Every structure is written in C-alpha cells, then in structure tokens.
C-alpha cells in the first residue's frame, strides 16, 4: 500500500533491475525454444496493450541515453517485420507486399537509426494503410481489390528501387495510396447520387410542416426507423424503441466523423464495415455503404446514436499495427526491454 507518488518512485527504482532480469530470462527462453527446434518468427516480439507501453515508457528512465548503431537499428526493424508477417490482422493477399517493404525499411534504418522506435514515421503509416486495404475492400478476386493490389505493388517496387529511401519517399507512397482511397470514395458517392438526391428532398420535406405527411419511408422517421432498421435484432427492438434517447456524450464521435470514415455496424445479425458517403445539411440523415459490398443504408442520426448505446454500432479505424508492438530496443549496452 502507498500513494501514487510512492508507487512511481518504486517503479523508477525497480525498472532497471527488472528489465535486466527480464532480458536474461527472455534470452534463456528463446534458447530453449531454438533447442526444441521451434523457429517461429514472432516469438521474439512481445505484444502489449498500447496504454501499458505508454505507462512503462513513462516509468522507465535510463540512466544515460544510449546511441543506437545502424546495425542494431536494422536488427530491430527486421524483428518488427517478422512480427508483421505473423500478424493475423493483415489479410493474406496483402501480406507479401508488406513483407517486401522489409528491404527498403532496412535501407532507411541505415539512414535513420531511430526508425524502429518512431511510431510516427511514414513507413509505419504506410504499413497500416496497406493492411487497411485488405480489411476495407471486397474480397478477392473483386476488380477494385485487384486494382488496389496493383497500385500497392507498384509503390513497393518503386521504394525497393530507391538506394537510400528516406521519410519523404515513404510519405510519397502513403500520399499516393490515400489518393487512391479518395478516388474510390468519390466514385462511390457518384454511384449513389440518385439516392443522395432523394434523401436530400426527404429532409427538406421533414423540415417543412406542410409537407411532412408526404414522408412515408420508415427508415427516415426518428421513431419508426428504430423498429425498421435491419441493424436491430428482434429481441432488442422494444428495449431500444422504449429506452431513453442516446446520451450525446456516449456517441458524440458520430457527429465528428468526416465523409469517407468507417464504422462497424451490425446488419441482419452480422457485423459489416460501413463507410459514410453522405450527411444531410441538417445532420439528421446519413447514408452508409458497405465497404465490402454494394449495400447501402440511409439511417437517421437518432437511430444511429441509440444503436451505438445498444452495442450495435461502433467506431472503426485502421489498426496501428506497429504501434501495438512493444519492439525490443537496439541493445548493445542499453539494458532497456522495449521502446515506446
């Protein structure tokens, strides 16, 4: 028992000997695995919750900063790519492209020894965005997925030809991939233009009392859509329809979503990744479309807020893959277990 200040003081004192002991035991365990004939690429990487990594970083203060050599940095980058190749969040058809980024990443590590520990480096953002294509596109061999794969392979090939790829070159590749996503979004919005025009007209009718009787679509009436949306399971209809209005504090992130951003939405008992294609000028109506199919759903803002509270809708975003890997620090003499 003790106050927070005593706990912090204890951790500061204990961090260094604990790190040394952990490193020693980790090396011994690795040796036993190798002696047993186990050569799994991922066993050298410890995966921790991001918040825990932050706490450890705040409490672990090395006595003196240790210079990172290019060789040690390259070894750390190689271990990161070993972990990525075993990461199940990366779809199999996009995993080879990420794997081929290893060589340009090793070249970059020779230029920037801090690369392995830099979560905000454009290389890692590019890795995350390539992995996101696998999650957010229709399954193979759909044409859009094949086209995206061709673009990704072209970008990786261009980086592989660079003799000294720096942060600007990885940022260039990332910008090209984000541009492809914007182009895809614009085409989807044009595809749904007739539905968007109809929804715009409906909101104008709802706003005009003399025209409101003309609104007959149950998906667009705040009370009725709670019982008509395919996202609402039958056993929750009554509870949602009769429950209190959604707490704005619990679903405020919905109002901050930009066009093109995704959410996870339960439709007919299955979870889908849906992309926001349109929000009405008054913010009352939204049009969501499946990222991996042709379905689209107009949803009233009140209904969506209540679905969030019922656990039937949730935020979604590209995973920060490298940011969730507690990477071993390049450690000639540092004695540190991981970097943050």
């Amino acid at each position: 028992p003790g106050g927070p200040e005593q706990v912090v003081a204890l951790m500061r004192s204990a961090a260094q000997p604990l790190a040394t002991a952990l490193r020693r035991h980790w090396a011994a365990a690795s040796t036993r695995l190798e002696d047993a004939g186990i050569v799994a690429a991922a066993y050298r990487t410890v995966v921790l919750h991001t918040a825990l990594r932050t706490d450890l970083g705040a409490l672990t203060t090395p006595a003196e900063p240790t210079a990172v050599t290019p060789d040690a940095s390259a070894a750390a980058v190689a271990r990161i790519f070993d972990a990525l190749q075993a990461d199940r969040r990366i779809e199999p058809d996009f995993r080879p492209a990420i794997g081929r980024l290893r060589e340009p990443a090793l070249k970059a590590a020779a230029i920037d020894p801090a690369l392995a520990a830099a979560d905000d480096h454009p290389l890692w953002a590019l890795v995350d965005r390539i992995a996101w294509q696998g999650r957010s596109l229709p399954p193979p061999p759909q044409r859009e997925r094949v086209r995206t794969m061709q673009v990704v392979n072209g970008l990786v090939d261009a980086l592989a030809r660079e003799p000294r790829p720096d942060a600007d070159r990885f940022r260039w590749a990332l910008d090209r991939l984000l541009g492809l996503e914007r182009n895809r979004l614009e085409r989807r919005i044009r595809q749904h233009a007739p539905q968007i025009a109809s929804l715009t007209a409906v909101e104008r009718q709802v706003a005009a009392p003399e025209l409101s009787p003309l609104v007959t679509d149950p998906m667009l009436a705040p009370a009725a859509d709670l019982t008509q949306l395919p996202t609402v399971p039958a056993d929750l209809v009554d509870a949602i329809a009769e429950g209190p209005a959604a707490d704005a504090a619990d679903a405020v992130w919905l109002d901050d979503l930009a066009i093109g951003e995704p959410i996870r939405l339960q439709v007919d008992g299955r979870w889908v990744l849906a992309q926001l294609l349109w929000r009405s000028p008054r913010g009352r109506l939204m049009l969501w479309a499946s990222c991996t199919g042709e379905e689209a759903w107009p949803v009233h803002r009140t209904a969506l807020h209540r679905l969030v509270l019922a656990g039937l809708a949730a935020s979604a975003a590209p995973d920060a893959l490298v940011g969730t890997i507690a990477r071993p620090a390049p450690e000639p003499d540092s004695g540190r277990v991981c970097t943050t």
Side-chain angles (χ1 to χ4, degrees):
E5 295 180 357
Q6 292 174 307
V7 172
V8 171
L10 174 62
M11 290 302 297
R12 287 188 183 280
S13 301
Q16 190 66 30
L18 286 174
T20 301
L22 179 59
R23 215 169 66 251
R24 185 171 57 252
H25 287 295
W26 185 261
S30 298
T31 300
R32 288 196 297 271
L33 284 171
E34 292 171 352
D35 291 343
I38 300 173
V39 193
Y43 75 80
R44 295 180 181 274
T45 301
V46 182
V47 178
L48 301 176
H49 190 278
T50 302
L52 179 57
R53 293 178 63 235
T54 302
D55 292 343
L56 288 175
L59 294 174
T60 305
T61 304
E64 295 181 0
T66 303
V68 179
T69 66
D71 288 346
S73 177
V77 168
R79 288 194 291 271
I80 292 173
F81 275 90
D82 287 342
L84 289 172
Q85 287 301 297
D87 198 316
R88 295 183 179 181
R89 292 171 293 180
I90 302 174
E91 293 294 321
D93 54 336
F94 280 90
R95 188 172 290 128
I98 291 177
R100 290 194 298 116
L101 280 173
R102 176 192 293 255
E103 291 306 317
L106 291 175
K107 295 177 186 177
I111 303 171
D112 180 7
L115 172 63
D119 286 347
D120 58 350
H121 194 282
L123 163 63
W124 309 129
L126 177 62
V127 168
D128 293 340
R129 214 68 205 184
I130 293 175
W132 176 248
Q133 308 308 306
R135 281 188 58 195
S136 61
L137 287 170
Q142 200 268 354
R143 184 173 60 181
E144 191 68 51
R145 192 180 186 98
V146 172
R147 177 172 179 262
T148 301
M149 177 66 70
Q150 291 172 342
V151 172
V152 168
N153 284 332
L155 294 174
V156 174
D157 289 342
L159 291 171
R161 290 192 295 268
E162 291 284 337
R164 292 173 59 84
D166 57 12
D168 287 340
R169 293 305 292 163
F170 290 108
R171 191 175 293 108
W172 164 83
L174 176 62
D175 289 343
R176 292 297 177 94
L177 190 54
L178 293 175
L180 179 66
E181 291 184 17
R182 287 191 296 271
N183 178 268
R184 188 161 62 229
L185 172 63
E186 291 167 359
R187 285 187 281 112
R188 299 197 78 192
I189 292 174
R190 289 196 297 269
Q191 176 186 349
H192 291 278
Q195 193 171 8
I196 291 173
S198 297
L199 292 171
T200 303
V202 165
E203 187 180 56
R204 284 199 297 266
Q205 292 172 355
V206 172
E210 68 277 10
L211 296 178
S212 59
L214 300 176
V215 181
T216 58
D217 190 340
M219 292 283 282
L220 305 177
D225 67 353
L226 291 175
T227 61
Q228 297 296 325
L229 277 175
T231 56
V232 182
D235 57 348
L236 289 180
V237 167
D238 293 338
I240 297 176
E242 297 174 2
D247 185 343
D250 292 330
V252 67
W253 55 269
L254 285 173
D255 298 325
D256 296 331
L257 288 175
I259 300 300
E261 291 196 60
I263 65 170
R264 293 174 62 245
L265 190 65
Q266 192 171 112
V267 178
D268 293 330
R270 59 189 172 88
W271 284 100
V272 300
L273 193 65
Q275 184 179 37
L276 180 61
L277 298 186
W278 173 83
R279 180 189 284 114
S280 68
R282 295 174 179 268
R284 298 173 64 182
L285 303 180
M286 305 177 193
L287 181 63
W288 296 89
S290 169
C291 290
T292 58
E294 298 299 324
E295 299 170 286
W297 308 277
V299 184
H300 193 282
R301 176 181 177 275
T302 302
L304 193 56
H305 277 222
R306 288 180 174 170
L307 291 172
V308 169
L309 292 186
L312 302 175
S315 62
D319 292 314
L321 299 177
V322 178
T324 57
I325 298 175
R327 290 153 292 182
E331 44 173 79
D333 299 304
S334 67
R336 294 185 67 183
V337 178
C338 61
T339 58
T340 56

